[in-house]
Amino acid sequence: MTETKHLLGLLLGTEEDWPGAFEQLVRRLDPALQVGGVTHRYDVERITIEPFDLRQPSRYDLVVDRLAYWYYVPREWLKKVALMDDTYLLNNPFTFQSMEKHAAYCAMIRLGLKVPETWLVPHKQPPDNPRFPYTAAKYNQLFDIAEVAEQVGYPLYMKPYDGGAWVGVTRIKDSDELRRAYDDSGERLMHLQASVEGFDVFARSLSIGAETMVMKFAPDRPMHDRYSVDHAFLDPAVGEEVVSIGKIVNAFFKWEFNSCETLVRDGQVHPIDYANACPDVAITSLHYYFPWAMSALVKWSLFCTATGRRPRVDLDTARWYAVADGEGSYEEKLASYRRLADDYFQQEQYDEFVATSLGDFDRVAVDYFASADFDRLLVETVTSTFPAHEHEQFVAHYRGLIAAWVRDAG
């Protein structure tokens, strides 16, 4: 029997919790994967940053990137290995390199999703470029931001066009607040987006490859309490629409590790944020859902490498726009988009792979998250995150939630 060795690379910043869990899950796979008469063996390596020869072949079969959205050296290395080495990347580096929201809004509006009214406004403070004064004097139109806001409607949100982690997001109810927020925005390019008032629920869906978990989310709560363990907070049809929207966004842009935020009001689903290059997968925020996230990430990494799934950087927008410009209701178009998304993610093949080649993986995952090894990782994460007087409280808090997942999964 032929044997193939795969090296999975982790491109990391400050994270220690989920990389440790990912490494343990991969290394606990025993025996090695058997697919199509080939034995697949795996190891994981944390990638270091250094000068690189553009012609030097990549050692990695697949890379999980959590760094290049802000660090330019690894960003350019990812482009190189995508173009020259066919290294599998979970997010297309050419469309997903700076958490940029603007293109995502435009594309989903083009597909007919229910994105709130959104305008882009110029920088309050001009960029530091000697050519700017001439260009501005000749071509920039004077405008009144209050008039733009009236077109959007109050209340509204001012938010960076390329931001993340809620940085720079301001809720605005009148023109006085608008002017203060705009004055404070400096050189940041901003969107004005209508608020979805009176929404029934805030849903955050985390997508990893072909799998999506929709979670009830409360952004105004402390980080450890934002995700609620609630398996029936959405009507089934609405829940399926939320899943579809997340998968459609990801398949359109070739993103395979992303989160999507939607507001549901009167049964209508409004996507408000769905370009997150570094989605939250920390133990201290996901808690109960952390084992699912790590299991999904490992399974998708194994599927891509063991089956020879080819990386894609081309968007092929014509197929999507043919649906958008054709006849049919919103529901019919959404169903067509979902079929395109499932085709991109090879949903049927992935499900079969998990059921046949990874039949024992769920037991491995349950055993690991119930183990002393994981408990040590959990304790280390809590003690490095919270002040000393809260250690006992939060260790017990997270142990209880992980134990609940272990019971439910077991």
Side-chain angles (χ1 to χ4, degrees):
M1 180 175 285
T2 306
E3 180 172 302
T4 300
K5 294 182 179 180
H6 301 283
L7 181 59
L8 309 179
L10 304 182
L11 192 54
L12 305 170
T14 60
E15 301 156 298
E16 294 292 341
D17 55 352
W18 78 262
F22 183 92
E23 290 162 342
Q24 282 289 320
L25 282 171
V26 171
R27 290 168 181 161
R28 283 174 175 241
L29 287 172
D30 186 28
L33 228 57
Q34 308 289 333
V35 180
V38 178
T39 299
H40 297 265
R41 299 192 182 277
Y42 286 86
D43 200 2
V44 186
E45 183 176 284
R46 300 191 184 194
I47 299 172
T48 57
I49 299 160
E50 55 196 286
F52 60 90
D53 180 353
L54 272 61
R55 290 184 172 83
Q56 177 64 38
S58 170
R59 298 167 47 241
Y60 303 99
D61 296 278
L62 179 146
V63 172
V64 180
D65 165 37
R66 301 282 290 181
L67 181 62
Y69 71 95
W70 67 269
Y71 198 166
Y72 291 176
V73 174
R75 178 187 301 184
E76 299 312 309
W77 179 80
L78 286 172
K79 292 178 184 176
K80 177 263 178 194
V81 300
L83 289 171
M84 299 186 67
D85 305 308
D86 284 339
T87 299
Y88 201 95
L89 308 178
L90 266 63
N91 286 328
N92 182 347
F94 302 99
T95 63
F96 210 0
Q97 56 186 8
S98 62
M99 294 175 81
E100 187 260 317
K101 316 291 186 184
H102 183 74
Y105 283 142
C106 294
M108 294 306 108
I109 290 171
R110 176 75 168 80
L111 294 189
L113 300 190
K114 298 167 186 175
V115 180
E117 184 76 6
T118 306
W119 286 55
L120 183 135
V121 294
H123 313 81
K124 172 63 178 181
Q125 181 178 332
D128 184 15
N129 187 311
R131 292 170 291 187
F132 180 81
Y134 177 87
T135 302
K138 189 168 185 178
Y139 297 111
N140 282 24
Q141 291 285 345
L142 293 176
F143 73 99
D144 183 347
I145 194 169
E147 292 181 1
V148 176
E150 290 294 336
Q151 296 289 320
V152 176
Y154 293 106
L156 58 83
Y157 284 88
M158 179 180 287
K159 52 206 295 191
Y161 92 111
D162 63 346
W166 296 80
V167 175
V169 177
T170 308
R171 178 177 167 85
I172 294 169
K173 67 176 185 296
D174 56 37
S175 59
D176 290 337
E177 291 185 352
L178 173 73
R179 293 187 191 282
R180 285 195 296 271
Y182 191 45
D183 288 345
D184 291 342
S185 66
E187 292 188 12
R188 301 197 77 168
L189 200 57
M190 307 297 278
H191 282 131
L192 301 184
Q193 186 170 84
S195 173
V196 180
E197 290 294 288
F199 63 86
D200 302 310
V201 67
F202 192 129
R204 194 167 208 220
S205 45
L206 176 60
S207 293
I208 300 173
E211 296 194 40
T212 296
M213 178 65 71
V214 181
M215 298 164 284
K216 190 176 183 180
F217 189 65
D220 55 342
R221 300 287 298 164
M223 181 59 74
H224 71 275
D225 199 27
R226 290 183 180 177
Y227 294 93
S228 299
V229 181
D230 188 339
H231 303 304
F233 71 97
L234 291 174
D235 173 86
V238 172
E240 190 62 22
E241 183 176 346
V242 172
V243 170
S244 291
I245 288 172
K247 297 191 74 170
I248 289 163
V249 170
N250 295 341
F252 184 93
F253 285 106
K254 307 299 183 283
W255 300 340
E256 300 176 9
F257 193 8
N258 187 33
S259 63
C260 177
E261 294 174 359
T262 52
L263 299 177
V264 180
R265 182 179 65 190
D266 299 329
Q268 301 292 308
V269 180
H270 302 274
I272 60 167
D273 183 5
Y274 36 88
N276 296 292
C278 201
D280 179 14
V281 289
I283 297 173
T284 50
S285 51
L286 285 188
H287 49 76
Y288 177 91
Y289 297 103
F290 179 79
W292 169 84
M294 291 302 98
S295 298
L297 185 58
V298 170
K299 287 189 286 187
W300 184 248
S301 299
L302 300 179
F303 172 73
C304 293
T305 50
T307 64
R309 178 175 163 87
R310 304 294 293 172
R312 291 274 300 277
V313 296
D314 56 311
L315 294 189
D316 192 19
T317 58
R319 292 201 304 162
W320 300 85
Y321 292 158
V323 177
D325 297 338
E327 299 295 329
S329 65
Y330 169 78
E331 290 77 15
E332 290 169 336
K333 290 183 178 181
L334 196 73
S336 295
Y337 296 144
R338 177 62 181 268
R339 287 191 289 272
L340 290 175
D342 286 343
D343 177 64
Y344 171 72
F345 287 111
Q346 297 178 269
Q347 188 70 58
E348 289 186 6
Q349 296 95 319
Y350 173 76
D351 292 341
E352 182 180 0
F353 173 82
V354 170
T356 55
S357 298
L358 291 180
D360 214 28
F361 182 83
D362 289 343
R363 179 191 58 77
V364 171
V366 168
D367 289 348
Y368 169 62
F369 289 109
S371 71
D373 286 341
F374 178 74
D375 190 67
R376 279 191 293 272
L377 177 64
L378 185 152
V379 172
E380 290 170 3
T381 302
V382 170
T383 54
S384 66
T385 303
F386 295 95
H389 69 277
E390 295 181 345
H391 289 175
E392 184 177 355
Q393 169 194 347
F394 280 109
V395 166
H397 173 75
Y398 290 113
R399 276 177 173 163
L401 287 162
I402 297 297
W405 180 86
V406 169
R407 286 194 302 272
D408 291 346

